[in-house]
Amino acid sequence: MPTSLRFARASARTQQSRNIIAAIAGLALSAVTSVAAAQDKPPLKLGALMDMTGVYADTSGPGSEVAAKMAIEDFGGEVLGRKIQAVFVDHLNKPDLAASQAREMIENQGVEAIVDFAGSATGLAIIEVAKARNKIVIVNSAGSMRITNEACTPYTVHYTWDTFSQANVTGLATVRKGLDSWFFLAVDYAFGQELERDTAAVVQKSGGNVMGSVKHPLNTSDFSSFLLQAQSSKAKVVGLANAGNDAITAIKQATEFGLTQGGQQRLSPLLAFITDIDSIGLDIGQGLLVTESWYWDLNDETRAFTKRFRERTQRAPTSVQAGLYSSLTHYLKAVKAAGTTDSAAVIAKMKEMPINDMYAKGGRIREDGRMLHDMYLFEVKKPSESKGRWDVYKLLDTVSGEQAFQPIETSRCPLVKK
């Protein structure tokens, strides 16, 4: 072969090798550039305003912080190439402080959405701050109906429970079980009055009777006279339109009076969580009728989530904590689907996408921000029926979201088309 031809072929092979090396180098540089670009993106910050030390600490508090961290980890820790960071703050149940903290999070820390906030007064204060700045808020712990009525906003989601569903489900499901006569012990301020009014209305609408009611002062230590009136009414159900220490004191004293002895009368706290039952104990709490939005022992999915949660906390999750995990996951899925953190685009996806997870099946977010999902009536177990500390409920009835929550036709939300 002529020397010139061999030289030409060698030169061609050399050039080809150089082209391959250049291509590989280009790909490597592109990959490095992409990684660097992703690392340069600011994190997606989410704010969680919680009651970490006060009256709602067991219901939400540190357990909600764990649930939020689990949701972020399970999602993969990032979305749209941005690391997900959660900022946790204790609002101390002070509305003014909560509003100030929300402003600080949004304006100075770049928080895109705020979740949790136990307590309706703090929740409503935070909603107003977020509304003025077009930021999404997801309510898990607060129950005021104002959140999806007069105070509703285009960016607010009410996810777990509210006072209407608590009253409605308890009244509807008990009457369906033949417990069709009621007497109310109500704390003497707006909260108790609303719970009594709403529950009485659904009892009567369902074909039951209200045998009477009595009001008691907030934080009273002596329920004897009120319980005697309830006992003499011979109503099948004594509804406790109160919460916290008032409900716990009334339940303990009702047991001492023998009000529920023999099963002639049943007690139903209209707002109670698994942590309240744990505090009371099954010796006293057995037979109570309780409405909740979720329970850890409903199915394999709820039990699997609870197993992981208990490994971190040594406690079973409350319905509020499970709801926080679900709502935060739903928000992150909507961000991914929208391809942006813009509030209008994300909330549109949140309302468009169904919710199917360990918290809810076939859940959906309505135009007023209410997330519709099943609610449950439980009976508290006898000690002999329980297999352990958190094994406290027997399922009596399931009420669909369409039946459980306020009908959209009666909504007072300005966003709802009439």
Side-chain angles (χ1 to χ4, degrees):
M1 180 182 296
T3 302
S4 58
L5 183 56
R6 288 200 303 271
F7 179 78
R9 289 181 176 179
S11 297
R13 286 196 297 270
T14 301
Q15 185 59 46
Q16 187 178 26
S17 298
R18 289 172 178 168
N19 291 341
I20 292 171
I21 292 170
I24 293 172
L27 289 171
L29 180 61
S30 175
V32 170
T33 303
S34 297
V35 170
Q39 290 175 342
D40 288 341
K41 287 185 178 181
L44 169 59
K45 290 187 177 181
L46 305 173
L49 283 162
M50 301 173 163
D51 178 9
M52 302 298 281
T53 54
V55 294
Y56 305 116
D58 282 346
T59 307
S60 58
S64 284
E65 180 175 347
V66 170
K69 289 178 177 178
M70 287 175 64
I72 292 169
E73 290 168 11
D74 290 350
F75 197 78
E78 64 177 49
V79 64
L80 305 182
R82 298 170 63 181
K83 294 291 184 183
I84 305 166
Q85 290 184 4
V87 180
F88 300 98
V89 177
D90 187 351
H91 59 47
L92 303 177
N93 289 311
K94 297 179 180 179
D96 291 346
L97 176 62
S100 175
Q101 290 169 333
R103 281 193 294 271
E104 164 66 19
M105 281 183 170
I106 295 170
E107 294 177 357
N108 298 328
Q109 298 186 49
V111 161
E112 295 287 355
I114 298 177
V115 299
D116 200 46
F117 43 85
S120 292
T122 52
L124 290 165
I126 294 163
I127 286 169
E128 285 303 305
V129 171
K131 177 184 177 182
R133 293 154 180 81
N134 295 332
K135 295 297 182 182
I136 291 173
V137 290
I138 305 175
V139 184
N140 288 289
S141 302
S144 171
M145 284 304 297
R146 283 185 56 82
I147 293 167
T148 46
N149 278 322
E150 298 85 355
C152 75
T153 82
Y155 305 110
T156 302
V157 177
H158 206 175
Y159 206 83
T160 53
W161 67 280
D162 57 35
T163 53
F164 184 95
S165 62
Q166 292 294 128
N168 193 43
V169 171
T170 307
L172 175 64
T174 52
V175 173
R176 288 201 309 212
K177 293 293 180 184
L179 301 170
D180 53 4
S181 60
W182 278 65
F183 185 94
F184 291 94
L185 267 68
V187 63
D188 195 12
Y189 71 102
F191 168 76
Q193 294 161 10
E194 289 175 9
L195 269 182
E196 178 188 342
R197 180 197 65 209
D198 292 344
T199 309
V202 74
V203 166
Q204 292 169 328
K205 184 179 178 181
S206 303
N209 297 311
V210 175
M211 312 296 285
S213 66
V214 63
K215 303 290 189 295
H216 70 80
L218 179 66
N219 291 328
T220 186
S221 60
D222 184 5
F223 279 85
S224 57
S225 64
F226 311 122
L227 291 168
L228 285 172
Q229 292 181 62
Q231 198 169 37
S232 63
S233 75
K234 301 190 184 304
K236 295 178 182 177
V237 181
V238 178
L240 302 180
N242 50 24
N245 288 334
D246 281 332
I248 291 171
T249 302
I251 292 166
K252 289 180 177 178
Q253 292 185 14
T255 302
E256 294 169 3
F257 270 79
L259 187 141
T260 58
Q261 198 169 25
Q264 296 300 309
Q265 290 183 300
R266 306 288 295 275
L267 277 179
S268 179
L270 296 174
L271 180 59
F273 297 95
I274 191 173
T275 44
D276 297 313
I277 306 305
D278 182 61
S279 175
I280 295 167
L282 297 187
D283 285 335
I284 294 174
Q286 59 183 300
L288 291 175
L289 302 172
V290 178
T291 291
E292 288 244 42
S293 67
W294 184 87
Y295 177 50
W296 71 266
D297 200 22
L298 286 173
N299 53 54
D300 289 343
E301 286 182 271
T302 60
R303 287 187 284 271
F305 172 77
T306 298
K307 183 177 184 295
R308 296 193 298 125
F309 184 90
R310 289 189 68 174
E311 287 170 355
R312 300 188 183 205
T313 65
Q314 311 308 310
R315 301 168 65 88
T318 65
S319 53
V320 165
Q321 291 158 355
L324 175 56
Y325 175 94
S326 173
S327 64
L328 188 50
T329 301
H330 188 62
Y331 168 82
L332 293 171
K333 287 180 178 178
V335 169
K336 183 177 180 179
T340 178
T341 57
D342 174 74
S343 293
V346 174
I347 202 72
K349 284 294 181 183
M350 291 181 73
K351 292 181 178 179
E352 172 190 319
M353 298 165 59
I355 299 159
N356 289 296
D357 59 16
M358 61 85 198
Y359 180 79
K361 298 298 181 188
R364 66 180 181 89
I365 299 171
R366 278 190 327 204
E367 57 192 296
D368 60 349
R370 161 45 59 195
M371 200 278 268
L372 298 183
H373 55 83
D374 289 347
M375 296 282 289
Y376 307 95
L377 179 70
F378 296 105
E379 178 183 353
V380 176
K381 290 182 175 183
K382 299 175 183 177
S384 60
E385 297 171 322
S386 175
K387 297 176 182 178
R389 178 180 175 187
W390 299 103
D391 181 25
V392 298
Y393 288 151
K394 289 189 293 187
L395 179 62
L396 294 185
D397 204 354
T398 301
V399 178
S400 71
E402 296 290 346
Q403 288 183 298
F405 293 96
Q406 175 182 257
I408 195 69
E409 296 80 13
T410 62
S411 172
R412 299 187 297 279
C413 171
L415 302 174
V416 175
K417 296 176 182 178
K418 301 295 184 180

